Every structure is written in C-alpha cells, then in structure tokens.
Amino acid sequence: MKRVFICSRYAGDVTQNVTVAERLCRKAVERGCAPFAPHLLYTRCLDDGKPSEREAGLACGLTFMEACDEVWVFTGAGVSEGMRREICQARRLGKPVVEIEEI
C-alpha cells in the first residue's frame, strides 16, 4: 500500500482547511493508499497558535515524510509557508510531489 503524505493549509479558515484535509485523506484511501496528514494529528495535541508548538508539529510531520512514498499537495487554496517547507523537504528527499487543485 502506497503511503501518501497530505500537504494542505491548516491556518486561516481552520474548519474549511480541516475539511479539505479530511477529503484528501478519504480520496487517498479510496485509491488504495494509506494517507498521513500531520496537520490533522499534531494540532490535536499541540497548540498551532504557539510558535514553539507549531514548529514541533511541523518537525514531527517532516520526520514522518521520510517514510512516505509520495506527497500530495493541495494547491486549490494557495500554498502556505508551512506547505512550502513540506514541499521543499519532499524535493530534498526525492519524493514525488503530486499537485492537486480540486477535490
């Protein structure tokens, strides 16, 4: 089963952005993949509003990216700074980056 890292916005319209991430995860499962969306996980136990905790969550997600086979980037709502970091890390690791504009 292909492991897919989900990269999409979190901050801003959090409710809408969480819905988008959940839809991306569902889409991955429907395609026979195992999705990982760090912004759905780490924001449950870390405060994204505190810079040190946000940084810790990003660092944890980037670590897990190493185990993923590819990175899905949702560009439909624009690319945030956190997403840019994830995209750069994916490229450094040589992971395929799949841009998704609509879900």
Side-chain angles (χ1 to χ4, degrees):
M1 183 175 281
K2 186 185 299 185
R3 295 162 297 200
V4 175
F5 185 98
I6 303 295
C7 174
S8 63
R9 296 182 75 86
Y10 181 77
D13 186 346
V14 173
T15 301
Q16 175 62 26
N17 293 339
V18 165
T19 298
V20 166
E22 289 169 343
R23 287 181 183 160
L24 289 165
C25 287
R26 181 174 187 82
K27 184 176 192 171
V29 170
E30 289 170 351
R31 292 185 179 183
C33 300
F36 176 66
H39 50 311
L40 294 182
L41 172 63
Y42 296 117
T43 56
R44 301 208 24 109
C45 59
L46 298 171
D47 185 347
D48 196 60
K50 294 181 179 177
S52 64
E53 292 189 24
R54 176 176 170 72
E55 184 59 35
L58 282 165
C60 288
L62 293 174
T63 298
F64 267 95
M65 183 186 283
E66 295 176 21
C68 293
D69 299 304
E70 63 185 29
V71 177
W72 290 9
V73 179
F74 179 69
T75 59
V79 176
S80 68
E81 184 57 37
M83 291 172 67
R84 279 189 209 26
R85 285 182 58 190
E86 292 171 337
I87 294 164
C88 286
Q89 177 71 354
R91 291 189 173 131
R92 273 194 293 275
L93 295 171
K95 305 290 181 182
V97 175
V98 178
E99 289 189 27
I100 299 171
E101 295 179 16
E102 296 181 5
I103 51 168

